[in-house]
Amino acid sequence: MQLVTGSNETERQERAATADGKQKPEEGKQKNVGDALRAVYQDAAGEEIPDEMLDLLSKLK
């Protein structure tokens, strides 16, 4: 899975802008979904691995 960050995100937002400088509604929804997915991923990635799982993984070596 590829996360969009930095200048790529800025470029995407600029392309989505209409002549009056506002984002298209569907682009705004996509950004909200992307932001929510990134937040969930960051929460999951930051969780501690349970000791039981580490024990199981060590037995696979």
Side-chain angles (χ1 to χ4, degrees):
M1 178 160 105
Q2 180 181 1
L3 298 177
V4 179
T5 58
S7 64
N8 290 339
E9 178 67 15
T10 303
E11 291 171 1
R12 186 184 68 75
Q13 289 175 348
E14 288 172 358
R15 286 193 308 269
T18 61
D20 62 0
K22 295 182 181 177
Q23 282 187 342
K24 297 177 185 176
E26 63 272 9
E27 289 293 325
K29 289 178 186 177
Q30 288 177 358
K31 182 180 181 320
N32 290 341
V33 169
D35 290 344
L37 287 172
R38 275 191 280 295
V40 169
Y41 176 81
Q42 290 298 327
D43 288 345
E47 289 182 11
E48 189 174 319
I49 300 171
D51 291 335
E52 295 85 9
M53 182 64 72
L54 293 173
D55 290 339
L56 287 172
L57 290 171
S58 69
K59 291 177 184 178
L60 292 174
K61 291 183 181 179

